[in-house]
Amino acid sequence: MSPKELSYIEDALGHETFLKTQCQEAIQNLQDTELKSCVEKISQQHKQIFDNFYNLV
């Protein structure tokens, strides 16, 4: 894998970490259980995407 490709993966990992963190913060502040459940699913999707990118390296 080229250094440029590794850089892209590193950026993607950073973005997914940021998005997962934002979801976790939203979950802490949400009162509506349906919306909270939706954001929890989105958070899990970002974790899965992160894991997929991480396994590329």
Side-chain angles (χ1 to χ4, degrees), residues 17-55:
T17 299
F18 173 75
L19 292 169
K20 185 174 180 291
T21 301
Q22 292 298 302
C23 286
Q24 293 297 335
E25 289 178 15
I27 290 167
Q28 296 299 317
N29 295 317
L30 288 170
Q31 301 296 321
D32 184 278
T33 56
E34 187 176 336
L35 185 55
K36 194 174 201 174
S37 176
C38 181
V39 175
E40 286 171 345
K41 288 178 186 175
I42 293 169
S43 177
Q44 286 300 316
Q45 289 173 337
H46 285 297
K47 181 188 181 310
Q48 182 64 43
I49 292 169
F50 177 93
D51 292 344
N52 290 342
F53 277 124
Y54 187 81
N55 289 327

